[in-house]
Amino acid sequence: QNRQGTAYEGFLTAQGRDFHIRILLPVDHQLKNARIECSWDLKKILHGYQHILKQRLHSCPDLVSFLVELKTVMEIALKNTPELHIPRPPEYYSCLVRDIEILGWNKVAYVDTGLTTVKLKAEDSCGRQHLITLKLNAKYPTDPPDCLVDFPVQFAVSWMPQNSLIDIYNQFLAALESLKEFWAAMDEIDGNTWVLEPENPTRSATTRRIAIGTNVSVNIEVDPRHPTMFPECYFLGADHEVNPLRTKLNNNMHLWDPEISLLQNLKDILEVDFPSRAVLEKSDFTKDCGICYAYRLDGAIPDHVCDEPRCGQPFHQACLYEWLQGLPSSRQSFNVIFGECPYCNK
């Protein structure tokens, strides 16, 4: 702004917002003694970052590099600044409190201090506990709340402006009843077999990987709407272990009976007894990866097994891929790599 090159004025953009900034340098152009002027809202955002800015003024060689640093600090400060809360109209609070009282406070599991998030608890006819989280916007009850549930299917609320929380709660209860057979089938599997994945199944999880023997397992995908129908199955393990199971599945598929439980059907069709939680420990049929000597690696378990019957050592896919890539004898075809077993060299 002046011939001495000591006054600069303009805009910096951070998080999609433009901020007006003025920088005044002393006559000797020393950055460490520079003065920064800005609008009150940017000053508020940068409150708590002054020491970092002073440090940057001391260490930056020129004004351009300081502005790059300032922009980075602004990006971080804006990300960490909570949005200004717009107060909701008094009718919102009176309406919400009235709705909760009609529903009953005993059904409320949690309410946040701003009365914008409400968690309601319910029990299905089988005694299972469930939660529904309601995120209310300022236009409630004209606009419906956002509903978050731990369901394997989508939960869509039908809402009219004259509706209240009790209508959502009743729809929630009806949805729980429609899913009780699915949860009963999954609970039976979780309680009577060793489920390798997911480690802690949520109510929305439709897959289970069930241990059959040492390093042999079956992955099932259950349809939550028709839990007694034949599920999608695929086997994991060495070929000599998996092929007989695949044959039994194909030969016995016609015996599937929707009148009996999912677990009993799987036992009958595969002609196996799944390892019982009462008799065996998980360590009895889970072996660590032969390369990293760990069982879990970034959430994955060893599911690539050597097909040599006398070896049968499992590996993590990531470990095996890295190992084989390092061997000069390995060959790769597109995204598949072929090589020798790290254990038995087959």
Side-chain angles (χ1 to χ4, degrees), residues 167-180:
D167 298 292
I168 290 179
Y169 194 76
N170 289 335
Q171 289 176 50
F172 180 53
L173 290 176
L176 292 181
E177 287 310 296
S178 71
L179 289 164
K180 70 177 182 182

Side-chain angles (χ1 to χ4, degrees), residues 228 255-265 268:
T228 57
L255 298 173
W256 189 273
D257 181 0
E259 297 301 312
I260 62 173
S261 78
L262 177 66
L263 182 60
Q264 192 55 52
N265 266 315
D268 294 347

Side-chain angles (χ1 to χ4, degrees), residues 40 98-99 135 155 162 165 172 206 211 218 236 247 273 333:
W40 70 269
R98 187 194 68 226
D99 283 359
K135 303 261 184 196
F155 177 62
Q162 65 269 26
L165 295 187
F172 180 53
T206 56
V218 60
L236 295 111
T247 306
D273 260 333
S333 169

Side-chain angles (χ1 to χ4, degrees), residues 20 52 74 78 92 97 178 200 224 232 300 331:
H20 186 196
I52 296 171
M74 282 165 62
L78 278 162
Y92 165 85
V97 171
S178 71
N200 298 304
E232 280 185 47
R331 63 185 180 84

